[in-house]
Amino acid sequence: MKGYVVLETGEQFEGELFGAEKEKDVHAEIVFFTGMTGYQEVLSDPSFKGQMVVFTYPLIGNYGINDSDFESLKPQVEALIISELNGAGHHYEANQPLAGCLQHAQVPYITGVDTRAIVKRIRKNGDMRAVLTTHPESVDFSATTPLGEQEVVSSVSVQAAETFGHGERHVVLLDFGYKKSIVSELVDQGNRVTVVPYSISFEEVVSLKPDGILLSNGPGNPKQLETRLPVIRKLAETYPTLGICLGHQLLALAFGGDTEKLNFGHRGANQPVIDQETNKVYMTSQNHSYVVKETSLTDTSLHARFFNINDGSIEGLEHKRLPVLSVQFHPEAHPGPSDSAQLFNLFKEMMSQGRESLYV
């Protein structure tokens, strides 16, 4: 049926709408993703909870959907906005087309839209609220709350602990909306990984006897999780800790730093990042709206180690004394280049050096 993308600015874009009820609008924050591939990982990444995603690449769905590339148990995006959708998709691992996957998961999507024009509006005005609708004349934005004012992590975090792998080192992963690929990378390196709810207490983590802590990626504004900061800081002061994406932002807040929202975020598989300690440049996969403010670190025990080459924003932190490291990008990639996967080796070294003194 004919549908419309209505932006918070009032602009409308017409296309063919699927999977949405005719009398029920789809409200979400509209963002864009610049990768040429990786749509299956995007639609199942919990960090996209509360967002509808515009793909800048014009042809989506050309290699279908398989069983192994999902980053969570189900699609997480609120909707997809696509210029041209390949109705079949051809790949030796594919077992269904993208359209079939979206229909089965009841994820609305709109095709035949001028995605280039929408992206230009977002680049000019920033990430904003948007609505998928069949009746654009009656859209009311006053009835919705901006994503930055919502607490969405509780809707994507696990409800009970789950353990993966059988390695000697034990990583406890606090789940703010983790990607499966992070756990897979840790397990492949010989770790046992226990994924726990984001709301876990310090005492419960201690009872698991971890060798290291990983704070995962996830959706939304990190300041909506301020009540968790004392636990996060105490854990980081006790165990070797790695933060990824939202986990990176939470570590910064926990140690006294501050965060702010980017105009239109970094979402794609081609973001260049420099490690100022080694002068090495990584091409990285990213998906985030918020960044750490460099000026806020002045009186903290953290210093910025990684920077985005395009806009100079902070891409990673290191503690001045403790084995604490955080990155804004995704070293596990999926989708994207695996340049920075070696950072998991650094986390492994941090854990190995800290193990002997943890339980004395």
Side-chain angles (χ1 to χ4, degrees):
M1 60 186 169
K2 183 182 291 187
Y4 300 85
V5 181
V6 181
L7 303 181
E8 198 170 355
T9 58
E11 295 174 279
Q12 303 174 13
F13 299 86
E14 183 181 315
E16 191 71 15
L17 181 60
F18 300 87
E21 298 178 28
K22 192 170 183 179
E23 301 304 322
K24 187 176 181 181
D25 294 342
V26 180
H27 291 257
E29 181 177 73
I30 190 167
V31 300
F32 63 85
F33 177 81
T34 62
M36 296 173 65
T37 60
Y39 53 81
Q40 182 170 347
E41 293 91 337
V42 167
L43 71 92
S44 58
D45 182 348
S47 292
F48 281 113
K49 188 71 176 177
Q51 295 175 326
M52 61 176 75
V53 180
V54 184
F55 289 104
T56 61
Y57 191 66
L59 178 63
I60 298 296
N62 52 313
Y63 54 89
I65 295 289
N66 61 57
D67 287 333
S68 61
D69 287 341
F70 287 107
E71 289 295 344
S72 60
L73 295 176
K74 62 180 182 179
Q76 303 286 351
V77 296
E78 302 302 321
L80 295 182
I81 301 171
I82 299 167
S83 176
E84 180 182 347
L85 177 66
N86 186 308
H90 299 282
H91 189 273
Y92 72 97
E93 289 186 330
N95 55 22
Q96 63 177 317
L98 173 58
C101 172
L102 295 174
Q103 290 166 7
H104 178 73
Q106 297 182 317
V107 174
Y109 63 99
I110 188 168
T111 66
V113 180
D114 189 347
T115 52
R116 186 170 182 267
I118 295 176
V119 170
K120 289 176 73 174
R121 303 310 192 277
I122 298 172
R123 283 179 60 88
K124 178 181 178 181
N125 300 301
D127 298 336
M128 67 187 91
R129 288 178 291 180
V131 178
L132 291 188
T133 183
T134 57
H135 42 281
E137 70 285 345
S138 61
V139 167
D140 179 13
F141 283 100
S142 66
T144 63
T145 303
L147 182 59
E149 298 174 19
Q150 300 179 40
E151 192 287 286
V152 286
V153 167
S154 58
S155 65
V156 294
S157 180
V158 296
Q159 300 301 305
E162 304 175 60
T163 299
F164 304 87
H166 304 281
E168 182 182 355
R169 290 179 304 276
H170 185 202
V171 177
V172 171
L173 185 154
L174 271 65
D175 176 25
F176 300 99
Y178 83 100
K179 291 172 61 184
K180 178 198 71 175
S181 296
I182 294 175
V183 171
S184 298
E185 190 73 32
L186 291 170
V187 169
D188 287 347
Q189 285 203 340
N191 299 297
R192 176 166 54 99
V193 182
T194 299
V195 179
V196 299
Y198 79 104
S199 56
I200 193 170
S201 69
F202 176 80
E203 291 73 20
E204 288 173 309
V205 174
V206 170
S207 71
L208 295 173
K209 295 187 175 181
D211 294 300
I213 303 295
L214 195 147
L215 307 174
S216 83
N217 62 292
N221 183 349
K223 291 182 180 178
Q224 292 295 323
L225 296 168
E226 286 184 329
T227 58
R228 305 303 306 156
L229 298 183
V231 172
I232 290 170
R233 178 161 183 162
K234 196 171 182 180
L235 287 171
E237 290 175 336
T238 307
Y239 302 104
T241 300
L242 173 64
I244 295 178
C245 203
L246 179 61
H248 151 80
Q249 298 159 13
L250 291 171
L251 275 171
L253 292 174
F255 281 97
D258 194 12
T259 57
E260 62 184 347
K261 191 173 185 182
L262 289 167
N263 191 35
F264 50 82
H266 298 158
R267 296 177 185 86
N270 55 354
Q271 291 283 335
V273 169
I274 185 167
D275 179 350
Q276 289 202 329
E277 183 171 306
T278 64
N279 248 9
K280 183 177 178 63
V281 173
Y282 302 103
M283 293 305 294
T284 67
S285 176
Q286 299 193 18
N287 173 20
H288 63 101
S289 296
Y290 295 85
V291 291
V292 175
K293 296 172 65 174
E294 187 172 5
T295 55
S296 73
L297 300 177
T298 303
D299 296 321
T300 73
S301 51
L302 302 173
H303 72 90
R305 173 172 171 176
F306 300 89
F307 289 87
N308 189 294
I309 293 175
N310 286 338
D311 64 10
S313 61
I314 290 178
E315 293 283 3
L317 303 169
E318 199 168 38
H319 197 280
K320 295 175 183 177
R321 300 181 308 277
L322 300 172
V324 174
L325 178 71
S326 69
V327 289
Q328 181 64 80
F329 50 92
H330 284 268
E332 82 287 350
H334 297 278
S338 56
D339 294 23
S340 56
Q342 65 181 25
L343 293 176
F344 285 107
N345 293 328
L346 185 55
F347 182 44
K348 178 180 176 181
E349 292 173 10
M350 288 161 54
M351 288 190 289
S352 296
Q353 291 170 4
R355 293 180 67 215
E356 294 181 3
S357 61
L358 283 178
Y359 307 118
V360 174

